[in-house]
Amino acid sequence: MPIQRRQFVSALGGGALAGLAGCSRIGGSNGERPGVAGETLTLTTTTSTYDTGLLDELNAPFEDMYGVTVDAVAQGTGAALETARNGDSDVVMVHARSLEDEFMREGYGINRRDLMFNDFVIVGPEDDPAGIEGMGSAVDAFATIAGAEATFVSRGDNSGTHTKELAVWDEAGVEPGGDWYRETGQGMGEVLNIANEQGGYTLSDRGTFLSQRSEIDLTILVQGPIRDGPELLANPYGILAVNPEIHDNVNYDLAMAYIGYVTSPDAQQTIAEYEADGEQLFFPRALSEEPNFQQYVPEGWSGNATE
Amino acid sequence: MTAVPLLFEFPFEAVYIRSIIRVSLYVSTVAVLLSTLVSLPIALVVGFTDFPGKRFLTAVINTGMGFPSVVVGLLVLFAVSNQGPLGQFGLVFTPEAMILSQFVLATPPITAISLAAIAGVDGNVRSAAHILGGTRLDVALVTIKEARYGIATAILAGFGRAISEVGSVLIVGGNIASANGVSKTRTLTTAIQLEARQGRYETAMYLGAVLVVLVLLVNAVVVRLGDGRVQR
């Protein structure tokens, strides 16, 4: 079959489609198929959304509803955004707000929306050699780990988790290095396995840890804000489209339909109900009784907006 | 044939494993076939001809056997990316990109081993074919026939290289399976990597066993074909 460039459809059509996706199911009584039927959406995302299985749960009804295919590529936040910069994906679902804001300031990303959140947790061996269990401060816990030179396994891969980890080290005034600090460049699942093997600590998103908990002997030693832990360990997820003005091959109308879908009541319900090991993994955040439209604008943005 | 009841349940959906096997076989088989079509003519020309720089070219071909998989993946990614020279074809994260990667990886070993096999053919055989009025094509075909066992080994080496590699197909293919578990660019190797990453070692081991059995089966079939002719 001939390989064809994906056709670009007007942003207006995409916006209208997204609006429809957020409000009602496509097709209705006349059974008409959506204009995007048969197309493929390339979604680059972080490992936590994929490895927990949430993404398959979310994407199956979207694929059925629109008659499309979603190619989900789990790469970690940094790589997911870089792939999008190259114009090789249509929509990005990640969890490092600072990297997302930078992505939008550079013009590559548009129409970001808050999607969901969970939290990071500091996990480690049950015998807790550094003695951080129950600490109310992530900064204190990290400082204690550094002081004790206890093994800490880092993602080291420019992911959302790594970005958060670096932020905590920065707050703790520690520049981690030396034998005790091990940068792996691996995804969250591998890092948990490595920390398990080496009796080390690591920072993990709650979802991946819970979905893998039965396979490892690590335990949560410092909780995130979902369980009354420090707010610094909050883990918000955003979703944003790639800017078709920069890459004209972006399947923008389908990307906007997807954003509309995952922020719709149905999908938010799917997110709320998704469990692993008997626990809710993610908390929906796209709908609110008091909508905050400032979420559309990157923090610190000072472009040509009229104020 | 009556279905033999399984002695145990697999820890994954049958559709998942079947689609992964299909993608793995499709990508590696096409890549190796294309590699063979390119490699044999090169091996024949280099093997038959004496020219300045022949030793250098042979050294380059042999060096290619050691191409690092992830570097090939990176280079192919740059080529097929929207920003690259082949970007207009939309190849990134497709089986075609994986075929291209494996083609690049499989061509050097097939060329090098075929060249060794062809060089090993007695010069008198080629001379005899020529004297009997054979064209260059006839001489080439006779040589291939004489070297068939070595060429089969070359193709097997190329196939083994292609189907067992993980770095480049992960980079250019994206390890994609749809929400219902059907693989698009997920191969046996990238599936093993994914399952291990998620701590599902049991599934990873099963997939590993499937991969090993698959390679053994392919080897057995090709060797049998080779042996059959020898014993005739």
Side-chain angles (χ1 to χ4, degrees):
Chain A
M1 72 170 60
I3 299 173
Q4 292 180 344
R5 196 187 197 97
R6 291 182 294 228
Q7 300 302 310
F8 171 71
V9 182
S10 73
L12 182 60
L17 195 54
L20 283 173
C23 301
S24 65
R25 293 188 181 276
I26 294 296
S29 56
N30 60 13
E32 183 181 356
R33 276 164 59 87
V36 293
E39 295 180 9
T40 297
L41 178 75
T42 304
L43 161 72
T44 49
T45 184
T46 182
T47 54
S48 50
T49 55
Y50 192 82
D51 287 353
T52 54
L54 172 69
L55 215 52
D56 284 349
E57 199 78 12
L58 275 178
N59 289 351
F62 178 77
E63 290 179 327
D64 290 342
M65 189 185 301
Y66 284 83
V68 299
T69 300
V70 180
D71 282 352
V73 186
Q75 295 182 304
T77 296
L81 290 169
E82 195 59 29
T83 300
R85 277 186 177 85
N86 288 328
D88 291 323
S89 78
D90 305 311
V91 66
V92 184
M93 183 193 292
V94 287
H95 63 144
R97 185 61 197 265
S98 58
L99 299 186
E100 293 164 51
D101 287 347
E102 178 185 344
F103 186 72
M104 285 189 285
R105 278 195 297 271
E106 294 170 353
Y108 290 106
I110 52 177
N111 296 339
R112 180 191 182 278
R113 293 190 66 179
D114 282 345
L115 174 62
M116 62 191 182
F117 68 94
N118 64 4
D119 57 358
F120 291 103
V121 291
I122 304 176
V123 301
E126 289 180 4
D127 61 344
D128 191 16
I132 65 169
E133 182 164 17
M135 282 189 173
S137 163
V139 172
D140 288 348
F142 269 38
T144 302
I145 290 171
E149 295 194 345
T151 301
F152 187 96
V153 184
S154 169
R155 286 284 293 271
D157 64 345
N158 203 32
S159 60
T161 307
H162 187 221
T163 302
K164 174 63 68 172
E165 180 207 323
L166 294 180
V168 179
W169 287 122
D170 197 52
E171 289 266 340
V174 173
E175 232 179 278
D179 281 351
W180 60 274
Y181 185 73
R182 300 172 188 179
E183 286 186 287
T184 63
Q186 301 293 316
M188 195 70 250
E190 283 107 328
V191 168
L192 288 170
N193 290 332
I194 294 168
N196 184 50
E197 292 294 324
Q198 300 186 356
Y201 296 91
T202 191
L203 185 75
S204 172
D205 67 284
R206 182 180 297 274
T208 304
F209 175 74
L210 290 181
S211 67
Q212 201 158 316
R213 178 165 58 176
S214 62
E215 301 281 347
I216 53 182
D217 293 321
L218 302 176
T219 186
I220 297 178
L221 297 169
V222 176
Q223 288 284 355
I226 286 177
R227 296 293 185 90
D228 301 320
E231 194 60 35
L232 180 57
L233 295 181
N235 183 25
Y237 288 76
I239 184 156
L240 56 166
V242 179
N243 187 352
E245 284 298 304
I246 292 189
H247 295 298
D248 61 10
N249 65 306
V250 172
N251 198 338
Y252 179 66
D253 52 332
L254 191 49
M256 291 304 295
Y258 187 76
I259 293 176
Y261 165 75
V262 292
T263 54
S264 71
D266 280 350
Q268 294 284 292
Q269 183 72 14
T270 299
I271 291 170
E273 290 173 352
Y274 192 73
E275 290 184 355
D277 215 28
E279 290 196 35
Q280 180 177 354
L281 296 193
F282 298 97
F283 297 78
R285 189 176 172 175
L287 306 173
S288 170
E289 291 179 0
E290 300 177 32
N292 172 16
F293 293 106
Q294 282 302 317
Q295 69 188 282
Y296 293 90
V297 182
E299 295 168 12
W301 189 69
S302 61
N304 297 322
T306 303
E307 295 185 359
Chain B
M1 169 181 281
T2 306
V4 179
L6 292 178
L7 299 179
F8 46 80
E9 280 190 8
F10 288 114
F12 41 72
E13 297 290 337
V15 63
Y16 180 64
I17 186 64
R18 278 201 300 263
S19 67
I20 289 173
I21 293 174
R22 183 174 61 249
V23 169
S24 296
L25 282 179
Y26 168 70
V27 168
S28 295
T29 301
V30 173
V32 168
L33 287 178
L34 293 176
S35 292
T36 302
L37 289 179
V38 171
S39 297
L40 283 187
I42 293 175
L44 287 166
V45 170
V46 175
F48 283 0
T49 313
D50 284 316
F51 55 91
K54 174 171 176 174
R55 282 160 56 95
F56 175 76
L57 181 56
T58 302
V60 168
I61 292 173
N62 287 329
T63 301
M65 295 180 71
F67 278 160
S69 173
V70 287
V71 173
V72 170
L74 270 184
L75 294 176
V76 173
L77 177 66
F78 290 154
V80 303
S81 167
N82 182 58
Q83 308 282 73
L86 302 179
Q88 57 184 328
F89 301 114
L91 292 174
V92 71
F93 303 140
T94 65
E96 285 71 33
M98 295 159 63
I99 290 170
L100 182 54
S101 268
Q102 293 195 356
F103 168 82
V104 172
L105 287 170
T107 299
I110 296 180
T111 305
I113 299 174
S114 295
L115 179 55
I118 287 167
V121 173
D122 194 329
N124 292 328
V125 172
R126 305 203 318 248
S127 300
H130 202 64
I131 290 172
L132 290 173
T135 64
R136 285 189 183 179
L137 180 58
D138 294 325
V139 175
L141 290 177
V142 167
T143 303
I144 290 177
K145 184 178 179 184
E146 288 295 313
R148 63 190 177 279
Y149 197 76
I151 291 174
T153 300
I155 295 173
L156 285 177
F159 181 79
R161 175 89 153 119
I163 199 164
S164 62
E165 74 87 21
V166 62
S168 73
V169 293
L170 192 58
I171 290 173
V172 305
N175 199 10
I176 297 171
S178 69
N180 63 6
V182 175
S183 167
K184 175 180 177 180
T185 62
R186 183 166 301 169
T187 62
L188 282 160
T189 51
T190 59
I192 292 169
Q193 189 266 348
L194 178 73
E195 299 295 333
R197 180 175 94 198
Q198 295 176 333
R200 300 181 190 150
Y201 299 114
E202 189 179 10
T203 303
M205 289 300 293
Y206 276 116
L207 291 168
V210 170
L211 180 56
V212 171
V213 169
L214 209 57
V215 173
L216 290 178
L217 280 178
V218 171
N219 273 261
V221 168
V222 176
V223 169
R224 180 70 185 89
L225 290 178
D227 282 349
R229 298 193 188 185
V230 171
Q231 293 167 7
R232 185 179 308 134

